[in-house]
mmCIF file of all heavy atoms in Angstrom:
data_model
loop_
_atom_site.group_PDB
_atom_site.id
_atom_site.type_symbol
_atom_site.label_atom_id
_atom_site.label_comp_id
_atom_site.label_asym_id
_atom_site.label_seq_id
_atom_site.Cartn_x
_atom_site.Cartn_y
_atom_site.Cartn_z
ATOM 1 N N MET K 193 -29.593 -158.051 -75.236
ATOM 2 C CA MET K 193 -28.229 -158.315 -74.837
ATOM 3 C C MET K 193 -27.677 -157.113 -74.089
ATOM 4 O O MET K 193 -28.007 -155.975 -74.382
ATOM 5 C CB MET K 193 -27.346 -158.560 -76.072
ATOM 6 C CG MET K 193 -27.543 -159.892 -76.757
ATOM 7 S SD MET K 193 -27.054 -161.135 -75.732
ATOM 8 C CE MET K 193 -25.706 -161.902 -75.967
ATOM 9 N N PHE K 194 -26.780 -157.394 -73.199
ATOM 10 C CA PHE K 194 -26.139 -156.345 -72.416
ATOM 11 C C PHE K 194 -24.816 -155.978 -73.067
ATOM 12 O O PHE K 194 -23.967 -156.821 -73.301
ATOM 13 C CB PHE K 194 -25.912 -156.859 -70.984
ATOM 14 C CG PHE K 194 -25.177 -155.874 -70.115
ATOM 15 C CD1 PHE K 194 -25.803 -154.717 -69.693
ATOM 16 C CD2 PHE K 194 -23.873 -156.095 -69.744
ATOM 17 C CE1 PHE K 194 -25.132 -153.820 -68.903
ATOM 18 C CE2 PHE K 194 -23.192 -155.198 -68.951
ATOM 19 C CZ PHE K 194 -23.839 -154.056 -68.525
ATOM 20 N N ASP K 195 -24.648 -154.707 -73.353
ATOM 21 C CA ASP K 195 -23.414 -154.222 -73.963
ATOM 22 C C ASP K 195 -22.602 -153.499 -72.877
ATOM 23 O O ASP K 195 -23.031 -152.473 -72.357
ATOM 24 C CB ASP K 195 -23.732 -153.289 -75.132
ATOM 25 C CG ASP K 195 -22.469 -152.895 -75.885
ATOM 26 O OD1 ASP K 195 -21.407 -153.511 -75.631
ATOM 27 O OD2 ASP K 195 -22.551 -151.988 -76.727
ATOM 28 N N ALA K 196 -21.450 -154.036 -72.533
ATOM 29 C CA ALA K 196 -20.624 -153.487 -71.456
ATOM 30 C C ALA K 196 -20.064 -152.124 -71.800
ATOM 31 O O ALA K 196 -19.803 -151.314 -70.927
ATOM 32 C CB ALA K 196 -19.494 -154.443 -71.135
ATOM 33 N N HIS K 197 -19.876 -151.844 -73.076
ATOM 34 C CA HIS K 197 -19.269 -150.576 -73.475
ATOM 35 C C HIS K 197 -20.282 -149.483 -73.749
ATOM 36 O O HIS K 197 -19.907 -148.346 -73.990
ATOM 37 C CB HIS K 197 -18.400 -150.789 -74.721
ATOM 38 C CG HIS K 197 -17.265 -151.747 -74.467
ATOM 39 N ND1 HIS K 197 -16.205 -151.424 -73.680
ATOM 40 C CD2 HIS K 197 -17.055 -153.022 -74.879
ATOM 41 C CE1 HIS K 197 -15.369 -152.449 -73.620
ATOM 42 N NE2 HIS K 197 -15.869 -153.443 -74.343
ATOM 43 N N ALA K 198 -21.563 -149.777 -73.711
ATOM 44 C CA ALA K 198 -22.588 -148.782 -74.031
ATOM 45 C C ALA K 198 -22.623 -147.675 -72.989
ATOM 46 O O ALA K 198 -22.819 -146.507 -73.316
ATOM 47 C CB ALA K 198 -23.956 -149.450 -74.143
ATOM 48 N N ASN K 199 -22.414 -147.999 -71.712
ATOM 49 C CA ASN K 199 -22.464 -146.999 -70.640
ATOM 50 C C ASN K 199 -21.097 -146.372 -70.388
ATOM 51 O O ASN K 199 -20.966 -145.527 -69.524
ATOM 52 C CB ASN K 199 -22.985 -147.628 -69.352
ATOM 53 C CG ASN K 199 -24.421 -148.058 -69.473
ATOM 54 O OD1 ASN K 199 -25.190 -147.460 -70.231
ATOM 55 N ND2 ASN K 199 -24.795 -149.095 -68.747
ATOM 56 N N ASP K 200 -20.069 -146.798 -71.111
ATOM 57 C CA ASP K 200 -18.699 -146.335 -70.872
ATOM 58 C C ASP K 200 -18.297 -145.199 -71.814
ATOM 59 O O ASP K 200 -17.140 -144.861 -71.893
ATOM 60 C CB ASP K 200 -17.736 -147.512 -71.018
ATOM 61 C CG ASP K 200 -16.380 -147.188 -70.417
ATOM 62 O OD1 ASP K 200 -16.336 -146.398 -69.459
ATOM 63 O OD2 ASP K 200 -15.374 -147.718 -70.912
ATOM 64 N N LEU K 201 -19.223 -144.644 -72.529
ATOM 65 C CA LEU K 201 -18.902 -143.556 -73.452
ATOM 66 C C LEU K 201 -18.795 -142.253 -72.676
ATOM 67 O O LEU K 201 -19.731 -141.808 -72.030
ATOM 68 C CB LEU K 201 -19.960 -143.457 -74.545
ATOM 69 C CG LEU K 201 -20.077 -144.699 -75.445
ATOM 70 C CD1 LEU K 201 -21.229 -144.507 -76.411
ATOM 71 C CD2 LEU K 201 -18.788 -144.943 -76.178
ATOM 72 N N ARG K 202 -17.608 -141.653 -72.738
ATOM 73 C CA ARG K 202 -17.367 -140.382 -72.070
ATOM 74 C C ARG K 202 -17.022 -139.341 -73.115
ATOM 75 O O ARG K 202 -16.488 -139.673 -74.175
ATOM 76 C CB ARG K 202 -16.202 -140.526 -71.088
ATOM 77 C CG ARG K 202 -16.538 -141.413 -69.905
ATOM 78 C CD ARG K 202 -15.358 -141.564 -69.017
ATOM 79 N NE ARG K 202 -14.525 -142.627 -69.611
ATOM 80 C CZ ARG K 202 -13.357 -142.991 -69.167
ATOM 81 N NH1 ARG K 202 -12.828 -142.397 -68.141
ATOM 82 N NH2 ARG K 202 -12.674 -143.949 -69.740
ATOM 83 N N PRO K 203 -17.278 -138.100 -72.788
ATOM 84 C CA PRO K 203 -16.901 -137.046 -73.737
ATOM 85 C C PRO K 203 -15.387 -137.023 -73.953
ATOM 86 O O PRO K 203 -14.609 -137.384 -73.078
ATOM 87 C CB PRO K 203 -17.361 -135.754 -73.061
ATOM 88 C CG PRO K 203 -18.310 -136.167 -72.003
ATOM 89 C CD PRO K 203 -17.984 -137.575 -71.635
ATOM 90 N N TYR K 204 -14.991 -136.607 -75.136
ATOM 91 C CA TYR K 204 -13.572 -136.575 -75.509
ATOM 92 C C TYR K 204 -12.777 -135.676 -74.568
ATOM 93 O O TYR K 204 -11.648 -135.988 -74.209
ATOM 94 C CB TYR K 204 -13.440 -136.107 -76.961
ATOM 95 C CG TYR K 204 -12.024 -136.146 -77.460
ATOM 96 C CD1 TYR K 204 -11.394 -137.361 -77.704
ATOM 97 C CD2 TYR K 204 -11.303 -134.969 -77.684
ATOM 98 C CE1 TYR K 204 -10.096 -137.409 -78.157
ATOM 99 C CE2 TYR K 204 -10.000 -135.009 -78.124
ATOM 100 C CZ TYR K 204 -9.402 -136.230 -78.372
ATOM 101 O OH TYR K 204 -8.114 -136.284 -78.810
ATOM 102 N N SER K 205 -13.356 -134.574 -74.118
ATOM 103 C CA SER K 205 -12.645 -133.665 -73.209
ATOM 104 C C SER K 205 -12.358 -134.332 -71.863
ATOM 105 O O SER K 205 -11.316 -134.088 -71.252
ATOM 106 C CB SER K 205 -13.457 -132.381 -73.003
ATOM 107 O OG SER K 205 -14.703 -132.681 -72.402
ATOM 108 N N THR K 206 -13.241 -135.187 -71.405
ATOM 109 C CA THR K 206 -13.007 -135.910 -70.156
ATOM 110 C C THR K 206 -11.863 -136.898 -70.313
ATOM 111 O O THR K 206 -11.020 -137.038 -69.416
ATOM 112 C CB THR K 206 -14.280 -136.663 -69.721
ATOM 113 O OG1 THR K 206 -15.350 -135.730 -69.603
ATOM 114 C CG2 THR K 206 -14.078 -137.364 -68.387
ATOM 115 N N VAL K 207 -11.798 -137.575 -71.431
ATOM 116 C CA VAL K 207 -10.721 -138.524 -71.697
ATOM 117 C C VAL K 207 -9.380 -137.795 -71.727
ATOM 118 O O VAL K 207 -8.398 -138.247 -71.115
ATOM 119 C CB VAL K 207 -10.972 -139.274 -73.021
ATOM 120 C CG1 VAL K 207 -9.771 -140.114 -73.403
ATOM 121 C CG2 VAL K 207 -12.220 -140.131 -72.919
ATOM 122 N N ILE K 208 -9.317 -136.669 -72.410
ATOM 123 C CA ILE K 208 -8.077 -135.875 -72.473
ATOM 124 C C ILE K 208 -7.696 -135.388 -71.087
ATOM 125 O O ILE K 208 -6.515 -135.450 -70.696
ATOM 126 C CB ILE K 208 -8.236 -134.684 -73.450
ATOM 127 C CG1 ILE K 208 -8.465 -135.183 -74.866
ATOM 128 C CG2 ILE K 208 -7.038 -133.757 -73.378
ATOM 129 C CD1 ILE K 208 -7.317 -136.003 -75.421
ATOM 130 N N TRP K 209 -8.654 -134.907 -70.318
ATOM 131 C CA TRP K 209 -8.388 -134.417 -68.957
ATOM 132 C C TRP K 209 -7.798 -135.537 -68.091
ATOM 133 O O TRP K 209 -6.835 -135.320 -67.365
ATOM 134 C CB TRP K 209 -9.665 -133.854 -68.353
ATOM 135 C CG TRP K 209 -9.519 -133.457 -66.918
ATOM 136 C CD1 TRP K 209 -10.095 -134.053 -65.841
ATOM 137 C CD2 TRP K 209 -8.734 -132.393 -66.392
ATOM 138 N NE1 TRP K 209 -9.718 -133.437 -64.691
ATOM 139 C CE2 TRP K 209 -8.880 -132.399 -64.999
ATOM 140 C CE3 TRP K 209 -7.908 -131.431 -66.979
ATOM 141 C CZ2 TRP K 209 -8.232 -131.484 -64.179
ATOM 142 C CZ3 TRP K 209 -7.276 -130.516 -66.152
ATOM 143 C CH2 TRP K 209 -7.444 -130.544 -64.770
ATOM 144 N N HIS K 210 -8.348 -136.734 -68.165
ATOM 145 C CA HIS K 210 -7.830 -137.861 -67.392
ATOM 146 C C HIS K 210 -6.408 -138.220 -67.822
ATOM 147 O O HIS K 210 -5.566 -138.551 -66.983
ATOM 148 C CB HIS K 210 -8.747 -139.072 -67.533
ATOM 149 C CG HIS K 210 -10.027 -138.925 -66.765
ATOM 150 N ND1 HIS K 210 -11.014 -139.866 -66.812
ATOM 151 C CD2 HIS K 210 -10.479 -137.963 -65.931
ATOM 152 C CE1 HIS K 210 -12.017 -139.492 -66.045
ATOM 153 N NE2 HIS K 210 -11.724 -138.326 -65.504
ATOM 154 N N ARG K 211 -6.140 -138.156 -69.094
ATOM 155 C CA ARG K 211 -4.794 -138.454 -69.583
ATOM 156 C C ARG K 211 -3.779 -137.427 -69.094
ATOM 157 O O ARG K 211 -2.653 -137.776 -68.732
ATOM 158 C CB ARG K 211 -4.783 -138.519 -71.110
ATOM 159 C CG ARG K 211 -5.469 -139.756 -71.637
ATOM 160 C CD ARG K 211 -5.445 -139.800 -73.133
ATOM 161 N NE ARG K 211 -6.171 -140.965 -73.615
ATOM 162 C CZ ARG K 211 -6.481 -141.177 -74.873
ATOM 163 N NH1 ARG K 211 -6.122 -140.305 -75.809
ATOM 164 N NH2 ARG K 211 -7.148 -142.252 -75.225
ATOM 165 N N VAL K 212 -4.164 -136.173 -69.066
ATOM 166 C CA VAL K 212 -3.275 -135.114 -68.586
ATOM 167 C C VAL K 212 -2.988 -135.299 -67.097
ATOM 168 O O VAL K 212 -1.840 -135.180 -66.649
ATOM 169 C CB VAL K 212 -3.885 -133.721 -68.877
ATOM 170 C CG1 VAL K 212 -3.143 -132.626 -68.135
ATOM 171 C CG2 VAL K 212 -3.916 -133.453 -70.361
ATOM 172 N N VAL K 213 -4.020 -135.613 -66.324
ATOM 173 C CA VAL K 213 -3.832 -135.814 -64.886
ATOM 174 C C VAL K 213 -2.915 -137.012 -64.639
ATOM 175 O O VAL K 213 -2.001 -136.948 -63.810
ATOM 176 C CB VAL K 213 -5.198 -136.000 -64.181
ATOM 177 C CG1 VAL K 213 -5.019 -136.478 -62.747
ATOM 178 C CG2 VAL K 213 -5.982 -134.706 -64.210
ATOM 179 N N ARG K 214 -3.125 -138.099 -65.362
ATOM 180 C CA ARG K 214 -2.270 -139.278 -65.201
ATOM 181 C C ARG K 214 -0.826 -138.978 -65.595
ATOM 182 O O ARG K 214 0.117 -139.412 -64.920
ATOM 183 C CB ARG K 214 -2.800 -140.435 -66.032
ATOM 184 C CG ARG K 214 -4.070 -141.035 -65.476
ATOM 185 C CD ARG K 214 -4.548 -142.191 -66.316
ATOM 186 N NE ARG K 214 -5.861 -142.600 -65.888
ATOM 187 C CZ ARG K 214 -6.870 -142.858 -66.699
ATOM 188 N NH1 ARG K 214 -6.711 -142.770 -68.008
ATOM 189 N NH2 ARG K 214 -8.033 -143.217 -66.216
ATOM 190 N N ALA K 215 -0.636 -138.239 -66.672
ATOM 191 C CA ALA K 215 0.722 -137.879 -67.093
ATOM 192 C C ALA K 215 1.407 -137.028 -66.028
ATOM 193 O O ALA K 215 2.605 -137.206 -65.751
ATOM 194 C CB ALA K 215 0.689 -137.150 -68.427
ATOM 195 N N LEU K 216 0.682 -136.115 -65.419
ATOM 196 C CA LEU K 216 1.234 -135.274 -64.352
ATOM 197 C C LEU K 216 1.625 -136.121 -63.141
ATOM 198 O O LEU K 216 2.713 -135.944 -62.568
ATOM 199 C CB LEU K 216 0.227 -134.196 -63.952
ATOM 200 C CG LEU K 216 0.663 -133.233 -62.863
ATOM 201 C CD1 LEU K 216 1.842 -132.403 -63.343
ATOM 202 C CD2 LEU K 216 -0.485 -132.334 -62.461
ATOM 203 N N ILE K 217 0.772 -137.046 -62.757
ATOM 204 C CA ILE K 217 1.067 -137.917 -61.617
ATOM 205 C C ILE K 217 2.287 -138.789 -61.906
ATOM 206 O O ILE K 217 3.160 -138.966 -61.050
ATOM 207 C CB ILE K 217 -0.166 -138.767 -61.254
ATOM 208 C CG1 ILE K 217 -1.255 -137.860 -60.673
ATOM 209 C CG2 ILE K 217 0.193 -139.864 -60.258
ATOM 210 C CD1 ILE K 217 -2.584 -138.539 -60.473
ATOM 211 N N TYR K 218 2.390 -139.337 -63.123
ATOM 212 C CA TYR K 218 3.554 -140.142 -63.493
ATOM 213 C C TYR K 218 4.832 -139.310 -63.475
ATOM 214 O O TYR K 218 5.891 -139.790 -63.057
ATOM 215 C CB TYR K 218 3.372 -140.784 -64.866
ATOM 216 C CG TYR K 218 2.388 -141.919 -64.892
ATOM 217 C CD1 TYR K 218 1.520 -142.086 -65.959
ATOM 218 C CD2 TYR K 218 2.319 -142.844 -63.859
ATOM 219 C CE1 TYR K 218 0.613 -143.130 -65.992
ATOM 220 C CE2 TYR K 218 1.419 -143.888 -63.881
ATOM 221 C CZ TYR K 218 0.567 -144.030 -64.943
ATOM 222 O OH TYR K 218 -0.327 -145.064 -64.970
ATOM 223 N N THR K 219 4.752 -138.067 -63.916
ATOM 224 C CA THR K 219 5.929 -137.195 -63.916
ATOM 225 C C THR K 219 6.394 -136.913 -62.494
ATOM 226 O O THR K 219 7.595 -136.969 -62.206
ATOM 227 C CB THR K 219 5.611 -135.880 -64.650
ATOM 228 O OG1 THR K 219 5.167 -136.189 -65.970
ATOM 229 C CG2 THR K 219 6.819 -134.973 -64.700
ATOM 230 N N ILE K 220 5.477 -136.627 -61.604
ATOM 231 C CA ILE K 220 5.825 -136.379 -60.200
ATOM 232 C C ILE K 220 6.426 -137.634 -59.577
ATOM 233 O O ILE K 220 7.435 -137.574 -58.861
ATOM 234 C CB ILE K 220 4.591 -135.889 -59.417
ATOM 235 C CG1 ILE K 220 4.184 -134.501 -59.911
ATOM 236 C CG2 ILE K 220 4.859 -135.872 -57.917
ATOM 237 C CD1 ILE K 220 2.857 -134.021 -59.382
ATOM 238 N N ALA K 221 5.842 -138.798 -59.852
ATOM 239 C CA ALA K 221 6.381 -140.052 -59.319
ATOM 240 C C ALA K 221 7.788 -140.306 -59.851
ATOM 241 O O ALA K 221 8.666 -140.768 -59.103
ATOM 242 C CB ALA K 221 5.461 -141.217 -59.681
ATOM 243 N N PHE K 222 8.029 -139.998 -61.114
ATOM 244 C CA PHE K 222 9.356 -140.191 -61.696
ATOM 245 C C PHE K 222 10.386 -139.301 -61.008
ATOM 246 O O PHE K 222 11.508 -139.733 -60.721
ATOM 247 C CB PHE K 222 9.321 -139.913 -63.204
ATOM 248 C CG PHE K 222 10.651 -140.061 -63.861
ATOM 249 C CD1 PHE K 222 11.182 -141.318 -64.106
ATOM 250 C CD2 PHE K 222 11.395 -138.941 -64.219
ATOM 251 C CE1 PHE K 222 12.425 -141.463 -64.699
ATOM 252 C CE2 PHE K 222 12.630 -139.077 -64.812
ATOM 253 C CZ PHE K 222 13.150 -140.342 -65.055
ATOM 254 N N ILE K 223 10.016 -138.062 -60.719
ATOM 255 C CA ILE K 223 10.929 -137.138 -60.026
ATOM 256 C C ILE K 223 11.284 -137.693 -58.652
ATOM 257 O O ILE K 223 12.454 -137.682 -58.244
ATOM 258 C CB ILE K 223 10.311 -135.732 -59.936
ATOM 259 C CG1 ILE K 223 10.244 -135.104 -61.330
ATOM 260 C CG2 ILE K 223 11.090 -134.850 -58.969
ATOM 261 C CD1 ILE K 223 9.427 -133.838 -61.398
ATOM 262 N N PHE K 224 10.286 -138.211 -57.926
ATOM 263 C CA PHE K 224 10.567 -138.782 -56.610
ATOM 264 C C PHE K 224 11.439 -140.032 -56.709
ATOM 265 O O PHE K 224 12.303 -140.262 -55.862
ATOM 266 C CB PHE K 224 9.272 -139.094 -55.858
ATOM 267 C CG PHE K 224 8.612 -137.877 -55.285
ATOM 268 C CD1 PHE K 224 7.284 -137.600 -55.543
ATOM 269 C CD2 PHE K 224 9.315 -137.000 -54.476
ATOM 270 C CE1 PHE K 224 6.675 -136.479 -55.019
ATOM 271 C CE2 PHE K 224 8.715 -135.870 -53.945
ATOM 272 C CZ PHE K 224 7.394 -135.609 -54.217
ATOM 273 N N LEU K 225 11.246 -140.840 -57.724
ATOM 274 C CA LEU K 225 12.100 -142.017 -57.914
ATOM 275 C C LEU K 225 13.551 -141.622 -58.180
ATOM 276 O O LEU K 225 14.480 -142.251 -57.652
ATOM 277 C CB LEU K 225 11.577 -142.877 -59.065
ATOM 278 C CG LEU K 225 10.347 -143.709 -58.754
ATOM 279 C CD1 LEU K 225 9.829 -144.382 -60.022
ATOM 280 C CD2 LEU K 225 10.658 -144.742 -57.699
ATOM 281 N N VAL K 226 13.749 -140.581 -58.961
ATOM 282 C CA VAL K 226 15.119 -140.105 -59.219
ATOM 283 C C VAL K 226 15.748 -139.609 -57.915
ATOM 284 O O VAL K 226 16.920 -139.890 -57.638
ATOM 285 C CB VAL K 226 15.123 -139.009 -60.300
ATOM 286 C CG1 VAL K 226 16.458 -138.311 -60.376
ATOM 287 C CG2 VAL K 226 14.742 -139.594 -61.649
ATOM 288 N N LEU K 227 14.984 -138.899 -57.093
ATOM 289 C CA LEU K 227 15.516 -138.421 -55.811
ATOM 290 C C LEU K 227 15.897 -139.579 -54.900
ATOM 291 O O LEU K 227 16.917 -139.519 -54.209
ATOM 292 C CB LEU K 227 14.499 -137.512 -55.129
ATOM 293 C CG LEU K 227 14.345 -136.118 -55.722
ATOM 294 C CD1 LEU K 227 13.221 -135.370 -55.036
ATOM 295 C CD2 LEU K 227 15.637 -135.339 -55.622
ATOM 296 N N VAL K 228 15.103 -140.640 -54.897
ATOM 297 C CA VAL K 228 15.426 -141.803 -54.066
ATOM 298 C C VAL K 228 16.701 -142.473 -54.561
ATOM 299 O O VAL K 228 17.537 -142.904 -53.767
ATOM 300 C CB VAL K 228 14.245 -142.799 -54.050
ATOM 301 C CG1 VAL K 228 14.659 -144.145 -53.489
ATOM 302 C CG2 VAL K 228 13.096 -142.231 -53.247
ATOM 303 N N VAL K 229 16.882 -142.543 -55.859
ATOM 304 C CA VAL K 229 18.073 -143.202 -56.415
ATOM 305 C C VAL K 229 19.335 -142.408 -56.092
ATOM 306 O O VAL K 229 20.367 -142.993 -55.762
ATOM 307 C CB VAL K 229 17.910 -143.409 -57.937
ATOM 308 C CG1 VAL K 229 19.221 -143.803 -58.573
ATOM 309 C CG2 VAL K 229 16.855 -144.458 -58.217
ATOM 310 N N ILE K 230 19.285 -141.081 -56.162
ATOM 311 C CA ILE K 230 20.490 -140.286 -55.921
ATOM 312 C C ILE K 230 20.610 -139.805 -54.478
ATOM 313 O O ILE K 230 21.621 -139.215 -54.108
ATOM 314 C CB ILE K 230 20.574 -139.078 -56.878
ATOM 315 C CG1 ILE K 230 19.428 -138.098 -56.625
ATOM 316 C CG2 ILE K 230 20.615 -139.530 -58.309
ATOM 317 C CD1 ILE K 230 19.552 -136.802 -57.370
ATOM 318 N N GLY K 231 19.606 -140.062 -53.646
ATOM 319 C CA GLY K 231 19.628 -139.600 -52.265
ATOM 320 C C GLY K 231 20.701 -140.276 -51.438
ATOM 321 O O GLY K 231 21.061 -141.428 -51.651
ATOM 322 N N ASN K 232 21.258 -139.550 -50.485
ATOM 323 C CA ASN K 232 22.232 -140.034 -49.517
ATOM 324 C C ASN K 232 23.563 -140.445 -50.149
ATOM 325 O O ASN K 232 24.357 -141.125 -49.529
ATOM 326 C CB ASN K 232 21.653 -141.208 -48.715
ATOM 327 C CG ASN K 232 22.321 -141.351 -47.371
ATOM 328 O OD1 ASN K 232 22.393 -140.401 -46.622
ATOM 329 N ND2 ASN K 232 22.793 -142.536 -47.064
ATOM 330 N N ILE K 233 23.820 -140.036 -51.404
ATOM 331 C CA ILE K 233 25.087 -140.385 -52.043
ATOM 332 C C ILE K 233 26.226 -139.564 -51.458
ATOM 333 O O ILE K 233 27.321 -140.056 -51.266
ATOM 334 C CB ILE K 233 25.001 -140.199 -53.571
ATOM 335 C CG1 ILE K 233 24.134 -141.294 -54.152
ATOM 336 C CG2 ILE K 233 26.373 -140.234 -54.211
ATOM 337 C CD1 ILE K 233 23.950 -141.213 -55.643
#
Side-chain angles (χ1 to χ4, degrees):
M193 286 294 255
F194 177 71
D195 186 11
H197 298 290
N199 294 330
D200 196 30
L201 298 176
R202 292 178 277 175
Y204 184 71
S205 62
T206 303
V207 172
I208 296 298
W209 174 249
H210 286 177
R211 288 180 183 170
V212 168
V213 169
R214 288 181 189 134
L216 181 65
I217 291 171
Y218 287 141
T219 303
I220 292 170
F222 179 75
I223 291 169
F224 283 127
L225 284 173
V226 168
L227 286 175
V228 166
V229 168
I230 65 171
N232 205 53
I233 288 179

